[in-house]
Amino acid sequence: MNHHHHHSAAAADRRLNALRRHLEASSDIDSGLMISPSPTSSPGSVFSHVVRAPEDPILGVTVAYNKDPSPVKLNLGVGAYRTEEGKPLVLNVVKKAERLLINDSSRVKEYLPIVGLADFNKLSAKLIFGADSPAIKENRVTTVQCLSGSGSLRVAGEFLAHHYHQCVIYIPQPTWGNHPKVFTLAGLSVKTYRYYDPTTRGLNFQGLLEDLGSAPSGAIVLLHACAHNPTGVDPTIEQWEHIRKLMRSKALLPFFDSAYQGFASGSLDADAQPVRLFVADGGECLVAQSYAKNLGLYGERVGALSIVLRSADVASRVESQLKTVIRPMYSSPPIHGASIVATILKDRNLFQEWTVELKAMADRIIRMRQQLFEALRARGTPGDWTHILKQIGMFTFTGLNSEQVAFMTKEYHVYMTSDGRISMAGLNTKMVPLLADAIHAAVMRLR
Ligand code: PLA
């Protein structure tokens, strides 16, 4: 009785409030007054209960950087390549391809098929699996164009959640911060495997083998194809072979995230070796490819999901289901970025030019590693900084803690993610002293 009474009182309260809101709203209209909502509380909004979400841990760094009025500041947060002048870079081959596209009057803006541009898909598979890949020759690969690397991961996640018998996915500890969010929202259950050892600043190979060894049979395992983000630590090819054997013996399903092909070593083929090792044994795997970094097509959102299967028959049925994932999500992918990529990949000269530009980006990053290392040595900054030289790809996982990072941002206007990751691709010769001063001061002050 009491409970019932309580209930109906609350319901009456709600009705009263609704009535009050209704009266307020109609009196505003009647009097012709425009009441602008106060920024803190917006009475009358059906969303007034919505609380502000925190900024993204990576993209939020750019938001904070843009707000900083300081004339001298440095953004080493997001992994975006900058030139020695600190400017974003549009590759020359991309400009050439875009000119070709504009001058080709047969080009139209019709919808692409659900799976995207056919040429782009074929060429993307060739790029990651190799021109002479038996899996491609045997038609055992399905490739669908997706919204860059992130979109490829999400489409794969949803396909797996619906059509794979095991919904557990293992991701490395640590990994790119978006991985757990993408896979959880796709409907997978996320677990981690040990990857990085902070004491050696290297691979925790033993921990990795133990964790994958005790994973349930059939579990999905997310692997960074090269240039692991954020650690810059990759297994050697011998260690990859060891991982492959273990995974195949336990029927673990390999899912490669290939966001940096060409950025680790400067060679597209060398960076694809781990993926090709797994495909060569005839087994199945997934690969999410991104052209954001290696072709500098960040904002064009161009990438691909490939699934390697046992037979052409399974591949074509899997592709039909990928279409049912994509169609209700965004219907079909955008045409421009994929056309740029296809134009470059199918032309021998443009492809050759791309490899030269890509190597130049990778080499500049390596030079930044050397310059930063030298600058810290010159300052006598305490600690072993050789990992700056050893780590691979866009990032250095400095080992600086979140207080040191906050100090560097506040006192030196140097922006980076709070886990101590810095994007070496955002650094340039002129800014090395600022960064080295900031690191030196942070280490001296907050040891
Ligand atoms: N996978 C990994 C491992 C990545 O590092 C990134 C991007 C992606 C996928 C997705 O990239 P894409 O969707 O643009 O193709 N990571 C960046 C940017 C470079 C970001 O966080 O969005 C980073 O700073 O970590």
Side-chain angles (χ1 to χ4, degrees):
M1 190 63 196
N2 211 0
H3 179 75
H4 177 79
H5 175 78
H6 179 78
H7 238 142
S8 51
D13 252 14
R14 273 199 301 277
R15 279 195 298 273
L16 196 64
N17 279 330
L19 184 65
R20 215 174 269 144
R21 280 199 299 273
H22 176 77
L23 289 174
E24 274 163 17
S26 50
S27 71
D28 290 351
I29 292 164
D30 286 347
S31 63
L33 274 176
M34 282 288 287
I35 310 272
S36 56
S38 85
T40 45
S41 78
S42 313
S45 170
V46 295
F47 299 114
S48 47
H49 61 285
V50 172
V51 295
R52 183 174 307 281
E55 289 284 357
D56 181 82
I58 296 174
L59 300 184
V61 174
T62 303
V63 175
Y65 171 83
N66 287 337
K67 279 189 198 151
D68 186 338
S70 171
V72 182
K73 54 181 183 172
L74 183 58
N75 185 6
L76 304 178
V78 67
Y81 185 85
R82 296 286 179 271
T83 62
E84 261 299 289
E85 289 70 46
K87 297 270 173 346
L89 178 66
V90 180
L91 297 193
N92 211 26
V93 274
V94 168
K95 288 183 189 154
K96 280 191 185 172
E98 286 188 313
R99 256 178 250 127
L100 288 172
L101 292 172
I102 281 179
N103 293 333
D104 181 350
S105 57
S106 71
R107 295 259 157 196
V108 292
K109 303 287 189 188
E110 292 283 282
Y111 291 129
L112 284 180
I114 297 172
V115 296
L117 195 66
D119 272 356
F120 167 84
N121 289 337
K122 276 205 199 76
L123 293 159
S124 294
K126 211 173 112 181
L127 185 71
I128 187 73
F129 300 124
D132 51 1
S133 166
I136 295 177
K137 284 193 189 120
E138 292 155 16
N139 279 318
R140 297 191 283 112
V141 184
T142 167
T143 304
V144 295
Q145 181 192 329
C146 294
L147 303 184
S148 213
S150 306
S152 308
L153 294 167
R154 179 64 185 259
V155 167
E158 300 218 358
F159 168 77
L160 290 165
H162 283 108
H163 299 281
Y164 187 57
H165 66 88
Q166 175 58 269
C167 71
V168 177
I169 184 164
Y170 280 73
I171 61 175
Q173 176 66 262
T175 191
W176 180 48
N178 215 20
H179 278 148
K181 300 173 191 173
V182 167
F183 294 131
T184 302
L185 281 173
L188 298 172
S189 165
V190 175
K191 294 221 160 92
T192 61
Y193 62 89
R194 279 172 285 171
Y195 188 85
Y196 179 75
D197 183 349
T199 57
T200 63
R201 292 193 172 127
L203 185 69
N204 183 353
F205 191 49
Q206 206 48 47
L208 179 151
L209 293 179
E210 278 170 30
D211 290 349
L212 297 188
S214 55
S217 168
I220 308 155
V221 179
L222 191 279
L223 303 158
H224 293 224
C226 71
H228 182 274
N229 176 9
T231 67
V233 173
D234 285 351
T236 64
I237 203 73
E238 291 77 23
Q239 287 171 328
W240 274 117
E241 176 57 12
H242 209 113
I243 296 167
R244 186 193 64 79
K245 281 201 189 111
L246 171 69
M247 286 185 57
R248 291 311 194 196
S249 76
K250 297 205 54 184
L252 302 175
L253 183 62
F255 183 176
F256 285 98
D257 183 356
S258 178
Y260 300 95
Q261 189 182 357
F263 258 95
S265 68
S267 153
L268 289 159
D269 284 323
D271 287 355
Q273 271 320 110
V275 173
R276 293 178 190 175
L277 199 67
F278 278 72
V279 175
D281 67 15
E284 301 185 311
C285 70
L286 297 88
V287 185
Q289 271 172 284
S290 168
Y291 290 99
K293 273 71 75 173
N294 57 15
L295 263 169
L297 290 175
Y298 307 89
E300 294 291 355
R301 311 309 294 144
V302 51
L305 168 66
S306 285
I307 309 187
V308 180
L309 298 136
R310 285 281 183 195
S311 72
D313 179 42
V314 180
S316 92
R317 279 181 284 136
V318 165
E319 182 164 309
S320 75
Q321 289 296 343
L322 290 174
K323 286 158 73 174
T324 73
V325 173
I326 292 166
R327 172 65 167 151
M329 204 192 289
Y330 54 86
S331 191
S332 62
I335 198 167
H336 187 65
S339 304
I340 296 171
V341 174
T343 303
I344 294 167
L345 293 188
K346 74 174 142 203
D347 182 286
R348 187 188 281 276
N349 294 325
L350 289 179
F351 186 90
Q352 175 57 28
E353 251 186 86
W354 174 35
T355 63
V356 174
E357 286 191 87
L358 180 58
K359 178 79 166 53
M361 287 193 285
D363 285 349
R364 200 189 76 75
I365 292 171
I366 291 168
R367 280 200 304 281
M368 286 306 109
R369 292 186 180 283
Q370 285 156 350
Q371 289 185 16
L372 178 59
F373 178 76
E374 290 305 329
L376 291 174
R377 190 158 64 186
R379 282 161 182 73
T381 310
D384 177 2
W385 297 95
T386 51
H387 57 290
I388 295 175
L389 301 174
K390 285 181 211 145
Q391 291 173 354
I392 289 166
M394 262 191 162
F395 304 108
T396 292
F397 205 43
T398 58
L400 295 164
N401 62 39
S402 57
E403 289 83 55
Q404 292 170 322
V405 170
F407 171 85
M408 288 166 61
T409 303
K410 185 161 176 281
E411 303 297 329
Y412 288 83
H413 307 276
V414 172
Y415 289 77
M416 54 199 279
T417 54
S418 62
D419 60 359
R421 184 191 86 167
I422 59 180
S423 171
M424 298 307 286
L427 190 59
N428 59 65
T429 306
K430 213 177 79 199
M431 289 300 195
V432 167
L434 174 70
L435 176 58
D437 286 347
I439 294 176
H440 185 81
V443 170
M444 297 303 282
R445 281 271 212 113
L446 302 158
R447 245 189 285 185

